[in-house]
Amino acid sequence: MSKRAKHVCLVILAQAGCLAVGLWMQHHFVVSSTRSEAIEQTWAEFDEGADRVLLRINEVTLVNASGDAAENDRSLQRSRALELIEQIRRLTASAGSQAASVCLVDGSWIVLFCQPAGEDASGSEPAAGSRLLWIAASEPATNSASPLHGTFDGPVGTQIAVAHSLKNPNGYVVLHCPRAAIEARTTAMLSSLPGVSGLTWLWTSVLLSISTYMVLARFHDQ
């Protein structure tokens, strides 16, 4: 092989390698940014759904601090609370593509009870009496009425969650869904990205190779 051919091949291989690295970095950036945007969108959907019935939830007393309420009153309160939770679940599901499980917790983040997003999600919600180890996604706003965005570890992995404060009782209504579900949805959306990147690399490498050969061949001839 002549010196000119070796020189041209080395330059073409170097260009193809640099292009491959650039497309690989772009792929990971697109996946990361899309997942972050999907999480932000999920938080926004949960906020929108919960706000519609938050005032009604604040009217429900789940825990009687005096302990004088009759058993049938507590059962009625629980039924009303479960009915409101189901309304939140339907509203959040209609607001976006990600269904939400709903939990009610007290001021110490102890789970009172939970309502899963559906039968297929049963067993993924935290157990009643357990404590949510809440990890805030950002600094809480000065306004106590503002929802809290964060995550917590559930029985089936990390949960993306929104917590709205309750007035009566002192606690939170928490809407959550598995992070794995959001990542799976993102992966499905971007399933064609590797093929597109491969075609981009091939087409661009061919054009660069032709241009490089023409320039370097002329350089060596002179």
Side-chain angles (χ1 to χ4, degrees), residues 14-220:
Q15 288 179 336
C18 291
L19 181 61
V21 171
L23 290 174
W24 177 80
M25 294 177 63
Q26 174 185 272
H27 172 79
H28 283 271
F29 173 77
V30 170
V31 171
S32 177
S33 59
T34 303
R35 285 179 178 172
S36 298
E37 182 62 28
I39 292 175
E40 292 290 340
Q41 182 180 358
T42 300
W43 278 329
E45 292 173 358
F46 289 175
D47 285 338
E48 181 182 356
D51 283 341
R52 300 178 187 177
V53 291
L54 186 58
L55 293 178
R56 292 185 60 190
I57 283 188
N58 283 328
E59 298 174 357
V60 177
T61 302
L62 298 178
V63 178
N64 193 328
S66 63
D68 296 332
E71 185 66 30
N72 58 345
D73 291 338
R74 289 196 296 268
S75 299
L76 177 61
Q77 293 163 1
R78 180 183 178 87
S79 299
R80 291 178 60 197
L82 287 172
E83 180 182 355
L84 292 173
I85 287 177
E86 181 62 21
Q87 291 181 23
I88 295 180
R89 191 188 65 78
R90 289 197 300 265
L91 286 170
T92 53
S94 63
S97 56
Q98 185 62 58
S101 299
V102 186
C103 291
L104 291 179
V105 300
D106 62 16
S108 300
W109 295 93
I110 300 298
V111 178
L112 302 179
F113 53 86
C114 291
Q115 177 76 7
E119 294 182 358
D120 55 344
S122 180
S124 63
E125 67 276 4
S130 62
R131 183 188 296 272
L132 289 187
L133 299 179
W134 184 265
I135 302 175
S138 59
E139 291 294 330
T142 54
N143 183 7
S144 59
S146 299
L148 302 177
H149 294 173
T151 61
F152 65 88
D153 289 333
V156 293
T158 302
Q159 302 286 311
I160 303 298
V162 168
H164 287 254
S165 61
L166 297 171
K167 297 178 181 178
N168 188 17
N170 179 27
Y172 300 91
V173 54
V174 180
L175 285 73
H176 65 92
C177 68
R179 183 187 182 97
I182 299 177
E183 293 181 348
R185 186 176 64 179
T186 303
T187 301
M189 290 172 53
L190 301 176
S191 59
S192 61
L193 184 59
V196 173
S197 298
L199 289 175
T200 301
W201 176 83
L202 180 62
W203 177 250
T204 307
S205 296
V206 170
L207 294 178
L208 283 175
S209 299
I210 295 174
S211 301
T212 301
Y213 175 79
M214 294 177 62
V215 172
L216 293 183
R218 182 62 178 270
F219 173 78
H220 278 280

